Amino acid sequence: MGLFDGFMGNASEVDNGKIEEEFQQVLAESENIERTYKLIRDLFIFTNKRLILVDKQGVTGKKMEIHSIPYKNIVHFSIETAGSFDLDAELKIWISGNSVPFQKQFNKSLNIYEVQTVLASYVLN
C-alpha cells in the first residue's frame, strides 16, 4: 500500500542510512539524521539540529528545493491523530514570521506520537 499512500498524500518512515548518504553534503558537522519520512518523492528529515524539508521536482526528481528550519524557529506545532474513518494523521508546524503552517499527512500505520516526540524533544530544549 506504500505507493497508494504516496498518491493519497500520506507519508511513511524510510531508512535513515540511505538518506544520510544522499544528503551528506547538506548535513553540518556532528549533525545526525534521527527520523526521515517520505511523501511520494518529498522528504521530511528530522536531524538533531534542525528540520529539513526536501521538495523533489521535475520528472527525474534530481532538481530539489531544500528548506532548513532550525528547531528554535518553530513556535507552535500540533498533531491530529487518525480516527476510525479518517485514515491519516496530520502534523502542522508553525515557523516564526509565517502565519501558515507546514502541513504533512502520515498514514495510519505510522505512530504520529513518535513524530511528535522527536519534534518536541528538539523544539522544547
Side-chain angles (χ1 to χ4, degrees):
M1 212 163 120
L3 182 60
F4 181 69
D5 284 339
F7 286 125
M8 294 302 293
N10 293 326
S12 57
E13 192 166 6
V14 297
D15 177 40
N16 288 337
K18 188 175 180 182
I19 299 301
E20 201 160 321
E21 236 178 72
E22 184 179 352
F23 290 95
Q24 189 61 45
Q25 69 275 16
V26 176
L27 299 176
E29 188 174 319
S30 76
E31 185 174 22
N32 301 309
I33 294 175
E34 298 291 328
R35 298 272 196 274
T36 303
Y37 301 94
K38 188 172 186 176
L39 177 63
I40 305 176
R41 296 186 305 177
D42 298 345
L43 298 170
F44 203 72
I45 303 170
F46 289 96
T47 77
N48 58 326
K49 299 188 181 284
R50 60 188 162 150
L51 174 60
I52 301 171
L53 299 174
V54 180
D55 179 15
K56 292 191 175 187
Q57 303 169 356
V59 176
T60 63
K62 291 194 185 262
K63 181 178 178 179
M64 293 183 283
E65 181 176 11
I66 301 172
H67 293 271
S68 177
I69 304 167
Y71 292 119
K72 67 181 181 179
N73 291 352
I74 297 174
V75 295
H76 178 91
F77 58 92
S78 70
I79 60 170
E80 181 179 309
T81 61
S84 298
F85 299 106
D86 184 12
L87 299 178
D88 59 349
E90 252 179 37
L91 172 66
K92 294 180 185 176
I93 301 172
W94 285 264
I95 309 301
S96 62
N98 194 351
S99 62
V100 178
F102 283 101
Q103 186 172 331
K104 296 290 182 184
Q105 291 184 332
F106 298 85
N107 62 34
K108 190 174 183 176
S109 65
L110 182 71
N111 185 350
I112 191 70
Y113 293 108
E114 181 179 324
V115 176
Q116 185 272 337
T117 301
V118 171
L119 182 59
S121 67
Y122 293 115
V123 171
L124 300 176
N125 283 331

